[in-house]
């Protein structure tokens, strides 16, 4: 299963990184334009803050999902895990990934319910549904679950998941 899951997850993770970097660039451009409009043109663009907030949500959630895939979260670097004997360490690491996957499922599901409940409302100045603000949590929840599953399978197979940026 890892033979096809790992390349797919690596590709998805790299795509998320590219989207997050593009989002960061977008935030810089939008905020720069907002500051220019406010102080130079004396005419603040009303949509800029809303766009920047939406982009921040996508950047942080996609970045968090990539952090799970690339083992960038604190749970895998804990000193307590590293001092355990090898036979115990693997089960603690599997438990960590099960808990992270559970978090991803709960986050994604509840974000979906929240997105559904606010779909009829519009983001001021953008005309987009408020649900757009909650979709990155749904996507990140699914990706966190998928990436945690990959780590669990790799641990059981005695392999290591290579970070996406390699």
């Amino acid at each position: 299963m890892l033979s096809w899951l790992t390349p797919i997850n690596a590709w998805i993770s790299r795509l998320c990184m590219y989207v997050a970097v593009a989002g960061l660039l977008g935030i810089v451009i939008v905020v720069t334009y907002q500051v220019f409009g406010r102080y130079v043109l004396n005419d603040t663009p009303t949509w800029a803050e809303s766009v920047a907030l939406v982009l921040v949500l996508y950047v942080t959630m996609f970045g968090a999902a990539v952090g799970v895939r690339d083992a960038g979260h604190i749970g895998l670097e804990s000193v307590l895990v590293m001092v355990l004997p090898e036979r115990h360490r693997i089960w603690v690491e599997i438990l960590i990934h099960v808990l992270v996957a559970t978090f991803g499922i709960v986050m994604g599901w509840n974000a979906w319910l929240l997105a559904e409940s606010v779909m009829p409302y519009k983001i001021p100045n953008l005309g987009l549904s408020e649900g757009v603000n909650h979709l990155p949590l749904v996507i990140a929840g699914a990706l966190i679950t998928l990436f945690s599953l990959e780590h669990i399978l790799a641990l059981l197979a005695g392999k290591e998941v290579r970070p996406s940026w390699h």
Side-chain angles (χ1 to χ4, degrees), residues 28-83:
V28 169
I29 291 168
V30 168
V31 170
T32 301
Y33 180 70
Q34 183 180 20
V35 170
F36 179 78
R38 177 179 296 150
Y39 293 108
V40 176
L41 303 176
N42 203 25
D43 183 27
T44 304
T46 57
W47 54 268
E49 183 178 355
S50 298
V51 169
L53 289 173
V54 169
L55 288 173
V56 164
L57 292 169
Y58 280 85
V59 168
T60 55
M61 289 297 102
F62 285 5
V66 170
V68 169
R69 167 103 192 351
D70 292 349
H73 55 88
I74 195 167
L76 294 179
E77 299 299 325
S78 172
V79 174
L80 295 175
V81 175
M82 296 302 174
V83 297

Side-chain angles (χ1 to χ4, degrees), residues 87-165:
R87 65 181 190 279
H88 297 300
R89 186 180 322 149
I90 190 170
W91 294 110
V92 172
E93 288 180 4
I94 288 172
L95 174 64
I96 289 168
H97 288 295
V98 167
L99 292 172
V100 170
T102 303
F103 170 79
I105 291 168
V106 171
M107 180 180 77
W109 175 254
N110 285 299
W112 177 261
L113 295 175
L114 185 58
E116 265 187 338
S117 72
V118 297
M119 272 303 179
Y121 306 106
K122 301 290 182 198
I123 298 174
N125 307 319
L126 291 184
L128 296 173
S129 169
E130 278 285 346
V132 169
N133 285 335
H134 305 290
L135 286 180
L137 281 88
V138 175
I139 296 166
L143 292 176
I144 286 169
T145 304
L146 181 66
F147 295 158
S148 295
L149 175 65
E150 178 186 8
H151 278 283
I152 292 167
L153 293 172
L155 284 168
L156 292 173
K159 297 183 179 182
E160 191 172 316
V161 174
R162 289 189 62 201
S164 312
W165 39 269

